[in-house]
Amino acid sequence: LMEASEQLSVLQSLIETCVDLNLEPAEKQSAVETLHRQVHNLKGSARSTNYTAIESLCNPVEGVLADIR
């Protein structure tokens, strides 16, 4: 549970970075790629601990981020 809390904190920070209007495009791109990896990691953690609701939520988010990349 602590790992999930830490992952959610990282996700929140990355989302805030992605919506920062003052960032250069390359910085935003890097943040989106890192966010995609973090969502993928959260999905894997959820799967391994049988939190299917979180895993199901991560699937479409990961897809949207893949499209943005």
Side-chain angles (χ1 to χ4, degrees):
L1 194 56
M2 178 59 91
E3 181 182 331
S5 176
E6 291 170 5
Q7 286 180 332
L8 291 174
S9 197
V10 169
L11 289 173
Q12 179 179 355
S13 177
L14 287 166
I15 290 167
E16 290 170 359
T17 300
C18 288
V19 298
D20 184 347
L21 298 176
N22 296 316
L23 286 183
E24 295 295 321
E27 293 172 304
K28 283 192 182 212
Q29 180 68 28
S30 176
V32 168
E33 289 175 7
T34 303
L35 181 57
H36 181 268
R37 279 193 307 277
Q38 288 296 322
V39 170
H40 181 78
N41 290 342
L42 179 60
K43 183 178 76 173
S45 295
R47 180 181 298 138
S48 70
T49 55
N50 206 28
Y51 283 99
T52 56
I54 293 174
E55 180 184 359
S56 295
L57 177 64
C58 289
N59 278 326
V61 173
E62 192 175 17
V64 168
L65 291 169
D67 290 343
I68 293 171
R69 290 188 314 162

